[in-house]
Amino acid sequence: MRRREFLLGAAAWSAGAGRSPGGLGFRFTDVTAAAGIRFRHNSGAFGGKYLPETLGPGCAFLDYDQDGWQDILLINGMDWPGHKRQRSTMRLYHNNRDGTFTDVTRRAGLDVELYGLGVAVGDYDNDGFPDLFVSAVGQSRLFRNTGKGTFVDATEAGGLGGRQGFSSSALWFDYDRDGHLDLFVCNYVKWAPAQDVFCSFDGRRKSYCTPEAYRGSTCWLFHNRGNGTFEDATAASGLFDSSSKSLGAAVLDYDQDGWPDLFVANDTQPNKLYRNLRNGSFEDVALKAGVAFSEDGKARAGMGVDVGDYDNSGVPGLVVTNFDHEMLGLYRGTRKGLYVDQAPRSDVGRLSRRSLGFGCFFFDVDLDGFLDLLVVNGHIDDTVSSLRQDVEYAEAPHLFLNGGPRGFQDVAPEAGGGFAEPKVGRGAAFGDFDRDGDLDVLITTNQGPAYLYRNDQTSGNHGIRFRLVGTKSNRDAIGAVVRIFYGGETSSRMVKSGSSFLSQSELPVTFGVGRRDRIDRAVLNWPSGRTEEFRNLQTGREYQCTEGRGIQAL
């Protein structure tokens, strides 16, 4: 599809062109209780209004035991010292392959108390089993997967001990393409209970502070030595920046050179777009690319972020969630390295203006070949409605259905399963937990439950899924790009860690292809630089592609 057709078509949908007969083509069902997911987030809130209480928790879909079925991890906080009421830990749920899950947290060795916020999943030691990095207030933790259904704390052994921070989102990526996953960690602000600042809206009652009350804190980059240990490469890579207040991060190939770049969403500070210089260092090109500030030159409250080829142009676009009355940033990429924010001139901007967004991701919910956009919302203070009449604490999520030439339309109220009910949303991830070929949704809420929504297709559309295994590249093939071609159309997906907010979606990539039974070809660009092509693939199937060793249907 030509990009101009996509942009001109956006006005037609919002002007009332509508969807084709037959409804959305999918429906959500809330299967949280039926699946056995029993979780409630503990922020530790006791009335002191500590800033970290407003942010968590994150979540992840991951196949921790490599049985081919996506499991679920839910991050949790804990009570603050001196205010102990309960014991709370993260929760790992094993997929029973029948629509239900079993809590295996204790058995897996993850029954550990920490003030967790986010999670990044990646096989840093290339042993075939995904490991975990859990970001936290204080000491974040690295958990190595033993391959026997358990995890061991490898924080000290891996060289990550002694790092105290207010860490938020994190991701794994191989920035030097040596075949070993490196670790990028966002840090928010310099905060500790002893340095907590008193903020108030009315001059009497304590309120949660805005980030302007605290100094920023640099992100961290840890280089994987390839022997199970990491070294701090933050300064050497050019990423040290103590003014940043980072909450979200995503991997992308901004300049289409085959090397992974980084986008970092900052709260009240300019966003960063770090271009990989291919020599172990990065340069910030966010201002030049048009993503550092809003269109009117202001630094917004960037929180969640994702990257996706939502117009099927081959150039990745960006979405960034922001504070209420700031609207989403929905950036269309161009081949000249510039981004254009489409939100101010579309329903995406109009409908998100009053929302406070956190988790977000692109995914093809109806398998029609275009990436749709899900955003979860929720305010940070439960008293906000008494102070501002136009804002609520719990807010409905957005589900922007991508109509291709017709643009985006929010269909959350029609999605079913109570999806559109107001929530204090934070983390969000997608994954095909029931292996029916479409993408299900996991959402976390602050001081509330998690929600698992099963996606059921009603249109007859098909998908095709690819699970990549690196050999010369990192085992997870994070950074690989898959492109499919069918009937004159093309789509692309990147295998990636991180994105959304504090969360991670599954690593296999899914393409919708409408009602086509086959695709003409799939082209895989591996992080190592190798390119492979496979032709005449049947849809409705999942394929495993092992670098240099071919493809097989699962």
Side-chain angles (χ1 to χ4, degrees), residues 173-239:
F173 74 136
D174 184 6
Y175 75 93
D176 56 356
R177 301 202 331 187
D178 66 352
H180 302 284
L181 288 177
D182 310 300
L183 177 63
F184 180 79
V185 182
C186 292
N187 287 302
Y188 191 30
V189 295
K190 291 190 177 297
W191 179 93
Q195 286 82 46
D196 185 61
V197 175
F198 180 90
C199 297
S200 176
F201 290 122
D202 59 13
R204 295 179 291 106
R205 293 173 297 177
K206 190 170 190 254
S207 304
Y208 289 113
C209 293
T210 63
E212 287 96 337
Y214 297 96
R215 289 186 296 135
S217 182
T218 186
C219 299
W220 295 326
L221 177 64
F222 297 105
H223 176 254
N224 189 336
R225 294 189 177 103
N227 61 359
T229 68
F230 295 83
E231 59 184 338
D232 189 340
T234 310
S237 66
L239 295 183

Side-chain angles (χ1 to χ4, degrees), residues 62 81 92 114 128 152 160 245 274 281 293 342 357 372 384 417 419 421 465 511:
L62 74 162
L92 178 63
L114 73 163
V152 295
L160 301 182
K245 299 177 180 180
Y274 291 111
S281 65
F293 300 97
Q342 292 186 286
D372 310 298
V384 67
F419 175 78
E421 292 179 1
R465 288 167 54 82
F511 295 85

Side-chain angles (χ1 to χ4, degrees), residues 162-479:
R163 294 279 179 165
Q164 299 289 315
F166 187 162
S167 299
S168 52
S169 296
L171 59 82
W172 298 96
F173 74 136
D174 184 6
Y175 75 93
D176 56 356
R177 301 202 331 187
D178 66 352
H180 302 284
L181 288 177
D182 310 300
L183 177 63
F184 180 79
V185 182
C186 292
N187 287 302
Y188 191 30
V189 295
K190 291 190 177 297
W191 179 93
Q195 286 82 46
D196 185 61
V197 175
F198 180 90
C199 297
S200 176
F201 290 122
D202 59 13
R204 295 179 291 106
R205 293 173 297 177
K206 190 170 190 254
S207 304
Y208 289 113
C209 293
T210 63
E212 287 96 337
Y214 297 96
R215 289 186 296 135
S217 182
T218 186
C219 299
W220 295 326
L221 177 64
F222 297 105
H223 176 254
N224 189 336
R225 294 189 177 103
N227 61 359
T229 68
F230 295 83
E231 59 184 338
D232 189 340
T234 310
S237 66
L239 295 183
F240 183 87
D241 179 9
S242 60
S243 69
S244 288
K245 299 177 180 180
S246 303
L247 288 174
V251 178
L252 73 162
D253 187 358
Y254 155 72
D255 50 5
Q256 305 285 285
D257 67 349
W259 289 72
D261 310 301
L262 279 173
F263 181 87
V264 181
N266 283 315
D267 189 355
T268 70
Q269 294 292 315
N271 297 323
K272 305 291 185 180
L273 176 56
Y274 291 111
R275 186 169 72 90
N276 192 328
L277 299 179
R278 312 188 214 178
N279 60 2
S281 65
F282 297 80
E283 68 168 339
D284 179 18
V285 296
L287 186 61
K288 180 172 64 176
V291 293
F293 300 97
S294 65
E295 277 196 338
D296 54 2
K298 295 180 180 178
R300 292 186 281 189
M303 285 171 279
V305 60
D306 196 21
V307 178
D309 180 13
Y310 69 81
D311 59 358
N312 287 344
S313 67
V315 179
L318 279 165
V319 62
V320 185
T321 59
N322 297 301
F323 213 75
D324 64 80
H325 295 283
E326 290 184 337
M327 79 175 63
L328 289 174
L330 180 62
Y331 296 95
R332 174 180 59 85
T334 72
R335 296 195 180 276
K336 296 181 179 180
L338 300 175
Y339 286 89
V340 179
D341 190 354
Q342 292 186 286
R345 288 164 292 281
S346 73
D347 279 354
V348 171
R350 180 180 64 82
L351 296 174
S352 65
R353 182 178 293 277
R354 291 178 59 185
S355 304
L356 199 167
F358 281 93
C360 61
F361 52 74
F362 292 109
F363 75 139
D364 190 351
V365 67
D366 55 356
L367 299 180
D368 68 345
F370 289 99
L371 286 173
D372 310 298
L373 174 61
L374 184 146
V375 181
V376 297
N377 305 301
H379 222 279
I380 61 172
D381 195 321
D382 59 4
T383 65
V384 67
S385 59
S386 66
L387 301 170
R388 298 171 54 189
Q389 295 182 350
D390 63 335
V391 177
E392 297 293 332
Y393 181 49
E395 300 178 343
H398 297 301
L399 181 56
F400 291 107
L401 201 64
N402 186 343
R406 297 169 295 173
F408 289 91
Q409 185 180 33
D410 191 355
V411 299
E414 305 167 57
F419 175 78
E421 292 179 1
K423 303 173 179 65
V424 188
R426 292 298 185 264
F430 64 80
D432 182 13
F433 81 85
D434 53 0
R435 291 191 64 170
D436 65 352
D438 57 23
L439 296 173
D440 311 300
V441 172
L442 180 64
I443 294 173
T444 59
T445 62
N446 187 259
Q447 282 285 86
Y451 296 87
L452 179 62
Y453 293 99
R454 191 186 68 225
N455 182 358
D456 297 309
Q457 298 297 305
T458 60
S459 67
N461 285 347
H462 302 152
I464 186 168
R465 288 167 54 82
F466 297 91
R467 183 187 302 264
L468 275 61
V469 179
T471 53
K472 185 177 180 182
S473 303
N474 67 85
R475 178 84 179 204
D476 287 330
I478 288 173

